[in-house]
Amino acid sequence: MAQHATDEGVQEAACDAFIAIGRNANLEAFVQTNAAELLVKAMAKFEKAFQLQWKACVAVAHIAEKHAGASAELGKKGVISQLVALFWRVNGDDKKQPREITLQQQVLWALGALAAEEVNVERMKNAELFRVLWLILGPQEGPSKKELEQQRWAAMNRSSADKRASRASRGSGDDNPRGSRSSGDAAFGRGSRSSGDEMAGGLFLTVPLVLCRVWTLKELKELCKRPPPEPEKKK
């Protein structure tokens, strides 16, 4: 990795190797060499390389779960800051970068594995992980009054169309048998969600329990009232 630091293919292959090492090998060598530093540098160098970032997250999760020393070493070399930055990079805030829910899930799993070490939890506090958790666990803004009205009319129109179609096909009888729902009801029913909302809900289910224990919801809310740090200017 050190000899081919600018070769994305080599760095990605190295992440594959780290995954295998995390699953099967003795990790003492990982701790005693500069492997953790090289892994973090690859993540920093190739920020937009989806496959490399994905594999790096998987590698971190496996290594951190298996070896406390390796987990602490990864944290020491800055992997937590890299993971938090990666989460925000693929959150869809930038129009040029679509939201990548599945990659965000990998980030959360890696952070969950790292959080088994108390020293890494302190690093997560310094990296302001609380902003990520509040985004996922905090109260979500509901639709506006205008959007609700539009949904209601759309649901009513679909429901009316369903009933007319049902009468035409069956002649008479119960248009909406007990236990069934028209498409209009389903579209406007309580708890209905768009596909985007369902994907975002996947993040809620992904948050490892160990991360939920770091802060209470009240603490997350108070912490997020602080102004975020100014982004570092790239040299």
Side-chain angles (χ1 to χ4, degrees):
M1 290 183 81
Q3 293 177 354
H4 302 279
T6 60
D7 189 324
E8 181 182 330
V10 170
Q11 301 301 307
E12 183 180 330
C15 290
D16 278 321
F18 281 134
I19 292 172
I21 290 170
R23 285 174 174 167
N24 306 308
N26 185 320
L27 287 164
E28 288 300 325
F30 183 93
V31 178
Q32 295 168 6
T33 63
N34 64 339
E37 181 180 0
L38 293 173
L39 176 55
V40 174
K41 282 184 175 180
M43 294 181 71
K45 176 70 175 176
F46 300 99
E47 291 182 346
K48 297 181 180 180
F50 182 93
Q51 289 295 330
L52 186 150
Q53 296 290 340
W54 177 290
K55 292 175 181 180
C57 289
V58 175
V60 169
H62 282 304
I63 292 168
E65 285 176 352
K66 191 171 181 181
H67 195 285
S71 178
E73 185 67 14
L74 282 165
K76 181 180 178 181
K77 296 303 181 183
V79 77
I80 291 167
S81 295
Q82 283 297 324
L83 289 167
V84 172
L86 173 57
F87 182 95
W88 291 120
R89 256 195 330 270
V90 299
N91 195 46
D93 301 321
D94 185 347
K95 293 181 180 179
K96 296 180 181 179
Q97 171 66 60
R99 190 173 192 186
E100 300 286 1
I101 295 284
T102 54
L103 184 51
Q104 288 179 313
Q105 290 175 322
Q106 296 298 328
V107 168
L108 291 171
W109 284 323
L111 288 167
L114 291 161
E117 300 304 313
E118 189 62 34
V119 66
N120 283 337
V121 172
E122 292 303 312
R123 290 166 177 146
M124 290 174 190
K125 293 177 180 178
N126 293 333
E128 300 200 342
L129 177 63
F130 56 80
R131 297 188 191 278
V132 169
L133 296 180
W134 179 249
L135 174 74
I136 302 169
L137 303 175
Q140 303 298 310
E141 293 183 3
S144 66
K145 185 176 180 181
K146 182 179 179 181
E147 289 172 332
L148 286 172
E149 188 69 11
Q150 290 173 340
Q151 289 180 24
R152 186 174 74 86
W153 280 107
M156 289 174 63
N157 290 335
R158 282 192 293 269
S159 182
S160 297
D162 288 345
K163 288 179 180 179
R164 287 195 297 270
S166 179
R167 289 193 188 99
S169 63
R170 291 188 293 171
S172 62
D174 188 0
D175 292 318
N176 191 17
R178 186 178 181 181
S180 68
R181 301 175 70 185
S182 68
S183 62
D185 292 335
F188 190 63
R190 184 179 180 183
S192 63
R193 313 177 86 175
S194 67
S195 59
D197 289 336
E198 289 179 356
M199 288 184 70
L203 286 180
F204 182 91
L205 298 175
T206 303
V207 177
L209 186 59
V210 65
L211 295 181
C212 296
R213 292 171 178 164
V214 178
W215 298 281
T216 64
L217 279 178
K218 183 177 180 180
E219 289 171 336
L220 289 175
K221 183 177 181 179
E222 291 302 313
L223 286 168
C224 286
K225 290 179 180 179
R226 301 178 186 174
E230 293 291 331
E232 293 184 5
K233 294 182 179 180
K234 292 187 177 181
K235 297 180 181 180

